[in-house]
Amino acid sequence: MNSFRYKISATKKVTVYETEELNPEISEKYHAIVFFSPSGVRSFAKNNSLENMVVFSIGETTSKELRKHTKSEIFTSKKNTLSNLLLVIRDVLKIIQS
């Protein structure tokens, strides 16, 4: 059996993007809201309330950040994919609307 061995002699950290939180103030009232990242949660929650909304999250990392800002139930996709999140949204809305 051949074993593949390699040695990393040097590494370099390269920043490919930086997140900038916009912190918008949203005056409209919505029944539901969807978050795709912890930074999106922080940006929204800085000037807006999450209470009395149905809250959806694309994954556990985003849900963890949401728990810092609301006591509302958070509906979280099991996979970090848009298609899985859309299934969660569809299923929850079916229950709410029935």
Side-chain angles (χ1 to χ4, degrees):
M1 176 182 214
N2 293 336
S3 63
F4 178 69
R5 295 182 186 186
Y6 59 94
K7 180 179 175 183
I8 298 175
S9 58
T11 62
K12 181 179 178 182
K13 180 180 176 182
V14 177
T15 302
V16 294
Y17 74 91
E18 292 184 21
T19 301
E20 179 181 342
E21 294 178 10
L22 300 176
N23 307 320
E25 289 186 40
I26 309 295
S27 59
E28 297 87 3
K29 299 298 178 200
Y30 296 96
H31 298 289
I33 190 163
V34 181
F35 288 98
F36 295 90
S37 69
S39 62
V41 173
R42 288 188 299 273
S43 181
F44 181 85
K46 183 163 183 144
N47 293 318
N48 303 282
S49 173
L50 292 165
E51 301 311 313
N52 301 316
M53 274 198 237
V54 180
V55 181
F56 296 97
S57 168
I58 197 162
E60 190 51 45
T61 303
T62 302
S63 291
K64 182 178 177 183
E65 185 66 30
L66 277 162
R67 287 186 202 99
K68 296 176 186 177
H69 301 279
T70 185
K71 296 195 184 310
S72 296
E73 183 174 4
I74 301 163
F75 298 95
T76 307
S77 61
K78 294 194 187 318
K79 297 179 183 176
N80 291 336
T81 64
L82 179 58
S83 59
N84 193 256
L85 179 59
L86 290 172
L87 291 173
V88 171
I89 293 169
R90 181 196 66 190
D91 293 346
V92 171
L93 292 180
K94 277 184 185 177
I95 292 168
I96 291 171
Q97 293 172 350
S98 61

